[in-house]
């Protein structure tokens, strides 16, 4: 049995780690948590409570900029979902010139010093267009030449095509150290067509009442009235509302604001943002989703317990990588490393960050 020790930066509550451990168990790989770091104390508590092997000492709470990566224990695998704030299409898109944009470099520092056999990095779709695509190309170049060099495979994953009941699109970069005779391939979608996608009503069915994190948000009478006039799939700007319920906000016509879920479709992207009207809203009841419902949409197991206040938990869930999505990618990575064949498709991004022409993606390839 192959054994890998794994470290993680920007770990969040453990979406990547949970998916990685589940994939390792299925493939027959011994994956061992070694260390993780996150800036939020409640998020660290959630990670410690759920990820196998995580302890108070191994999960380091603190600013990654103050972390001495050279003092960390040696690892054979590495994961990092570096901050997306400055690459998000909904933000100011400052890219590498922003406060958070340069933090990918801490991941490069780990690769340079510890030289793990493989890594998995995650970010939002806006990364590939930040500063005309130059930021993405720069980051990919840095990852390729880190350590002793890595062969990288960036790909824009549509997680609804992998059984996640949510239209969540993320760039995942998988790197394998040069010299290792293995070539990662993008795992083929398990739910490729819209008719195959898991609906939100299916995902939220039969939630046991005894589960934690089910506190409901107190909705004002105005919000309740507004939601009652918004049909499933509509938002506050395309619904027909009474005059006193309309939002008089110039330039803020985001489709997520007071948008109700459609029971027959996957959810729209669950986020950790805290603005009014962005918490995700039930299709039938005039209310925001509970954190357990958000966790179901993000594919966290019902036994996954979140620590912290209700608002903290909401942010943890929204900022996490869906464990089911992480599992698909790590399963393909471990199958690659163990020489186990699997169905795959061509990557839709080149190692230099350019999109691949559609013609090259037309044919599904079976290994």
């Amino acid at each position: 049995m192959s054994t890998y020790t794994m470290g993680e930066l920007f770990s969040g509550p453990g979406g990547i780690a949970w998916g990685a451990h589940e994939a390792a168990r299925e493939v027959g790989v011994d994956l061992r948590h070694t260390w993780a770091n996150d800036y939020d104390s409640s998020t660290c508590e959630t990670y410690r409570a759920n990820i196998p092997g995580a302890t108070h000492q191994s999960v380091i709470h603190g600013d990654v900029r103050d972390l001495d990566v050279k003092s960390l224990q040696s690892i054979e695998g590495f994961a990092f979902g570096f901050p997306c704030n400055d690459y998000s299409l909904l933000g100011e898109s400052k890219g590498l010139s922003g406060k958070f944009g340069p933090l990918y470099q801490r991941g490069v520092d780990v690769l340079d010093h510890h030289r793990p056999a493989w890594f998995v990095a995650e970010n939002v779709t806006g990364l590939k267009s930040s500063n005309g695509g130059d930021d993405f190309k720069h980051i990919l170049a840095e990852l390729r030449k880190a350590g002793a060099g890595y062969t990288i495979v960036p790909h824009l994953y549509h997680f609804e095509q992998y059984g996640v009941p949510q239209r969540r699109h993320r760039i995942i970069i998988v790197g394998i150290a040069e010299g290792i005779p293995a070539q990662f391939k993008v795992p083929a979608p398990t739910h490729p067509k819209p008719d195959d996608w898991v609906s939100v009503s299916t995902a939220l069915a039969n939630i046991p009442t005894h589960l934690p994190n089910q506190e409901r948000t107190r909705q004002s009478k105005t919000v309740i009235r507004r939601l009652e006039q918004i049909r499933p799939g509509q938002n506050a700007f395309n619904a027909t509302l009474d005059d006193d319920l309309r939002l008089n906000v110039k330039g803020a016509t985001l489709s997520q604001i007071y948008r109700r879920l459609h029971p027959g479709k996957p959810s729209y992207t669950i986020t950790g943002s805290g603005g009014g009207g962005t918490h995700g809203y039930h299709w039938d009841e005039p209310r925001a989703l509970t954190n357990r419902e958000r966790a179901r949409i993000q594919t966290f197991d019902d036994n996954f317990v979140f620590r912290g206040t209700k608002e903290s938990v909401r942010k943890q869930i929204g900022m996490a990588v869906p464990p089911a999505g992480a599992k698909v990618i790590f399963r393909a990575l471990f199958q690659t490393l163990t020489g186990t064949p699997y169905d795959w498709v061509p990557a839709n991004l080149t190692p230099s960050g350019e999109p691949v022409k559609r013609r090259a993606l037309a044919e599904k390839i079976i290994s």
Side-chain angles (χ1 to χ4, degrees), residues 36-247:
N37 166 255
D38 196 88
Y39 75 99
D40 182 75
S41 60
S42 295
T43 300
C44 289
E45 286 297 329
T46 297
Y47 193 103
R48 295 182 187 113
N50 294 280
I51 303 305
T55 66
H56 185 77
Q57 290 74 29
S58 69
V59 182
I60 305 162
H61 167 228
D63 193 321
V64 71
R65 288 166 288 202
D66 300 327
L67 187 66
D68 180 9
V69 300
K70 294 181 180 179
S71 69
L72 298 172
Q73 188 174 339
S74 178
I75 51 173
E76 295 150 321
F78 177 49
F80 64 117
F82 54 102
C84 63
N85 312 56
D86 289 324
Y87 304 116
S88 173
L89 295 175
L90 300 180
E92 295 183 42
S93 301
K94 293 182 178 179
L96 295 180
S97 63
K99 179 180 178 181
F100 303 100
L103 292 183
Y104 80 92
Q105 182 62 49
R106 296 315 332 257
V108 174
D109 292 341
V110 170
L111 297 176
D112 280 337
H113 182 74
H114 293 286
R115 300 192 173 192
W118 50 262
F119 73 83
V120 175
E122 178 265 352
N123 211 273
V124 295
T125 60
L127 174 62
K128 65 184 176 67
S129 58
S130 178
N131 288 324
D134 289 343
D135 290 350
F136 189 37
K137 294 175 183 177
H138 176 78
I139 291 172
L140 292 178
E142 292 288 293
L143 293 173
R144 280 200 305 273
K145 69 181 183 181
Y150 289 88
T151 299
I152 63 171
V153 180
H155 185 75
L156 175 55
Y157 289 82
H158 290 202
F159 281 132
E160 67 272 19
Q161 296 181 349
Y162 293 89
V164 176
Q166 176 186 183
R167 297 194 67 167
R168 194 178 189 94
H169 304 162
R170 292 294 184 268
I171 292 173
I172 307 291
I173 307 161
V174 176
I176 296 179
E178 293 182 1
I180 294 179
Q183 176 63 52
F184 177 81
K185 301 289 187 182
V186 175
T190 54
H191 299 66
K193 300 178 181 179
D195 289 345
D196 303 325
W197 296 349
V198 180
S199 71
V200 72
S201 60
T202 298
L204 300 188
N206 303 316
I207 299 180
T209 57
H210 69 273
L211 294 180
N213 308 121
Q214 297 202 78
E215 306 94 330
R216 293 199 178 191
T217 299
R218 290 186 179 182
Q219 312 284 187
S220 69
K221 292 181 179 179
T222 298
V223 168
I224 292 174
R225 285 182 56 219
R226 181 178 292 124
L227 289 172
E228 288 175 338
Q229 295 184 22
I230 298 174
R231 296 195 300 271
Q234 288 187 329
N235 60 63
F237 299 100
N238 60 17
T240 302
L241 301 177
D242 291 344
D243 290 345
D244 65 320
L245 299 177
R246 294 175 184 171
L247 297 180

Side-chain angles (χ1 to χ4, degrees), residues 265-289:
K265 299 178 181 180
S267 168
Y268 51 86
T269 303
I270 297 297
T271 71
S273 62
T278 62
H279 294 176
Y281 297 87
H282 200 275
W283 64 89
D284 187 36
E285 302 173 29
R287 62 172 177 85
L289 299 174

